[in-house]
Tab-separated table of all heavy atoms in Angstrom:
chain	number	residue	atom	x	y	z
I	115	THR	N	-37.219	-12.437	6.085
I	115	THR	CA	-38.517	-11.764	6.237
I	115	THR	C	-39.387	-12.012	5.009
I	115	THR	O	-38.875	-12.171	3.892
I	115	THR	CB	-38.381	-10.235	6.430
I	115	THR	OG1	-38.029	-9.634	5.173
I	115	THR	CG2	-37.331	-9.879	7.471
I	116	LEU	N	-40.684	-12.006	5.231
I	116	LEU	CA	-41.627	-12.272	4.152
I	116	LEU	C	-41.590	-11.193	3.056
I	116	LEU	O	-41.469	-11.524	1.878
I	116	LEU	CB	-43.041	-12.421	4.740
I	116	LEU	CG	-44.086	-13.009	3.797
I	116	LEU	CD1	-43.706	-14.421	3.370
I	116	LEU	CD2	-45.455	-13.005	4.472
I	117	PRO	N	-41.659	-9.905	3.423
I	117	PRO	CA	-41.625	-8.882	2.362
I	117	PRO	C	-40.335	-8.949	1.544
I	117	PRO	O	-40.358	-8.739	0.330
I	117	PRO	CB	-41.710	-7.557	3.127
I	117	PRO	CG	-42.181	-7.895	4.486
I	117	PRO	CD	-41.797	-9.302	4.761
I	118	GLY	N	-39.235	-9.261	2.199
I	118	GLY	CA	-37.959	-9.349	1.488
I	118	GLY	C	-37.926	-10.513	0.521
I	118	GLY	O	-37.282	-10.465	-0.533
I	119	LYS	N	-38.618	-11.583	0.884
I	119	LYS	CA	-38.674	-12.747	-0.010
I	119	LYS	C	-39.592	-12.465	-1.196
I	119	LYS	O	-39.335	-12.911	-2.315
I	119	LYS	CB	-39.188	-13.969	0.765
I	119	LYS	CG	-38.133	-14.575	1.689
I	119	LYS	CD	-38.729	-15.687	2.561
I	119	LYS	CE	-37.685	-16.175	3.572
I	119	LYS	NZ	-38.247	-17.020	4.604
I	120	LEU	N	-40.692	-11.715	-0.932
I	120	LEU	CA	-41.690	-11.478	-1.982
I	120	LEU	C	-41.373	-10.254	-2.836
I	120	LEU	O	-41.476	-10.296	-4.055
I	120	LEU	CB	-43.073	-11.307	-1.346
I	120	LEU	CG	-43.618	-12.500	-0.560
I	120	LEU	CD1	-44.942	-12.141	0.099
I	120	LEU	CD2	-43.786	-13.711	-1.482
I	121	PHE	N	-40.999	-9.158	-2.171
I	121	PHE	CA	-40.775	-7.900	-2.898
I	121	PHE	C	-39.429	-7.279	-2.530
I	121	PHE	O	-39.375	-6.223	-1.899
I	121	PHE	CB	-41.885	-6.887	-2.558
I	121	PHE	CG	-43.266	-7.465	-2.554
I	121	PHE	CD1	-43.934	-7.716	-1.357
I	121	PHE	CD2	-43.905	-7.764	-3.760
I	121	PHE	CE1	-45.214	-8.245	-1.354
I	121	PHE	CE2	-45.184	-8.296	-3.762
I	121	PHE	CZ	-45.843	-8.540	-2.562
I	122	PRO	N	-38.347	-7.913	-2.922
I	122	PRO	CA	-37.034	-7.437	-2.463
I	122	PRO	C	-36.756	-5.969	-2.811
I	122	PRO	O	-36.266	-5.219	-1.976
I	122	PRO	CB	-36.048	-8.382	-3.156
I	122	PRO	CG	-36.818	-9.090	-4.213
I	122	PRO	CD	-38.240	-9.102	-3.771
I	123	LYS	N	-37.085	-5.571	-4.020
I	123	LYS	CA	-36.771	-4.191	-4.452
I	123	LYS	C	-37.501	-3.169	-3.590
I	123	LYS	O	-36.953	-2.137	-3.218
I	123	LYS	CB	-37.179	-3.998	-5.922
I	123	LYS	CG	-36.235	-4.680	-6.894
I	123	LYS	CD	-35.364	-3.642	-7.592
I	123	LYS	CE	-34.090	-4.255	-8.164
I	123	LYS	NZ	-34.340	-5.469	-8.949
I	124	LEU	N	-38.749	-3.469	-3.295
I	124	LEU	CA	-39.606	-2.541	-2.562
I	124	LEU	C	-39.036	-2.216	-1.180
I	124	LEU	O	-39.074	-1.077	-0.711
I	124	LEU	CB	-41.001	-3.147	-2.417
I	124	LEU	CG	-42.082	-2.292	-1.783
I	124	LEU	CD1	-42.463	-1.152	-2.711
I	124	LEU	CD2	-43.312	-3.139	-1.464
I	125	VAL	N	-38.504	-3.228	-0.514
I	125	VAL	CA	-38.058	-3.025	0.870
I	125	VAL	C	-36.530	-2.981	0.989
I	125	VAL	O	-35.986	-3.008	2.083
I	125	VAL	CB	-38.616	-4.116	1.818
I	125	VAL	CG1	-40.127	-4.026	1.893
I	125	VAL	CG2	-38.182	-5.513	1.368
I	126	GLY	N	-35.845	-2.889	-0.134
I	126	GLY	CA	-34.388	-2.795	-0.085
I	126	GLY	C	-33.733	-4.081	0.380
I	126	GLY	O	-32.819	-4.048	1.197
I	127	ALA	N	-34.225	-5.210	-0.139
I	127	ALA	CA	-33.598	-6.495	0.194
I	127	ALA	C	-32.765	-6.955	-0.997
I	127	ALA	O	-33.054	-6.606	-2.138
I	127	ALA	CB	-34.670	-7.534	0.513
I	128	ARG	N	-31.713	-7.727	-0.737
I	128	ARG	CA	-30.882	-8.191	-1.850
I	128	ARG	C	-30.255	-9.547	-1.529
I	128	ARG	O	-30.055	-9.912	-0.368
I	128	ARG	CB	-29.787	-7.171	-2.182
I	128	ARG	CG	-28.923	-6.867	-0.997
I	128	ARG	CD	-27.882	-5.809	-1.319
I	128	ARG	NE	-27.010	-5.653	-0.161
I	128	ARG	CZ	-25.831	-5.056	-0.187
I	128	ARG	NH1	-25.363	-4.550	-1.303
I	128	ARG	NH2	-25.111	-4.974	0.908
I	129	ASP	N	-29.939	-10.253	-2.601
I	129	ASP	CA	-29.296	-11.562	-2.461
I	129	ASP	C	-27.887	-11.391	-1.910
I	129	ASP	O	-27.235	-10.373	-2.145
I	129	ASP	CB	-29.223	-12.258	-3.817
I	129	ASP	CG	-30.598	-12.677	-4.309
I	129	ASP	OD1	-31.403	-13.131	-3.474
I	129	ASP	OD2	-30.862	-12.531	-5.513
I	130	LEU	N	-27.430	-12.416	-1.226
I	130	LEU	CA	-26.039	-12.414	-0.767
I	130	LEU	C	-25.169	-12.918	-1.921
I	130	LEU	O	-25.149	-14.108	-2.227
I	130	LEU	CB	-25.872	-13.314	0.460
I	130	LEU	CG	-24.454	-13.390	1.025
I	130	LEU	CD1	-23.961	-12.027	1.487
I	130	LEU	CD2	-24.381	-14.379	2.184
I	131	THR	N	-24.469	-11.992	-2.554
I	131	THR	CA	-23.567	-12.353	-3.651
I	131	THR	C	-22.134	-12.155	-3.186
I	131	THR	O	-21.888	-11.606	-2.108
I	131	THR	CB	-23.802	-11.443	-4.868
I	131	THR	OG1	-23.505	-10.095	-4.470
I	131	THR	CG2	-25.251	-11.518	-5.341
I	132	LYS	N	-21.189	-12.565	-4.020
I	132	LYS	CA	-19.780	-12.359	-3.671
I	132	LYS	C	-19.480	-10.859	-3.555
I	132	LYS	O	-18.700	-10.434	-2.699
I	132	LYS	CB	-18.882	-13.020	-4.720
I	132	LYS	CG	-17.381	-12.909	-4.429
I	132	LYS	CD	-17.016	-13.581	-3.116
I	132	LYS	CE	-15.517	-13.660	-2.832
I	132	LYS	NZ	-14.702	-12.501	-3.131
Side-chain angles (χ1 to χ4, degrees):
Chain I
T115 74
L116 193 61
K119 284 173 186 168
L120 298 176
F121 316 105
K123 286 254 159 49
L124 185 70
V125 296
R128 57 183 185 164
D129 291 321
L130 180 61
T131 62
K132 182 61 173 42

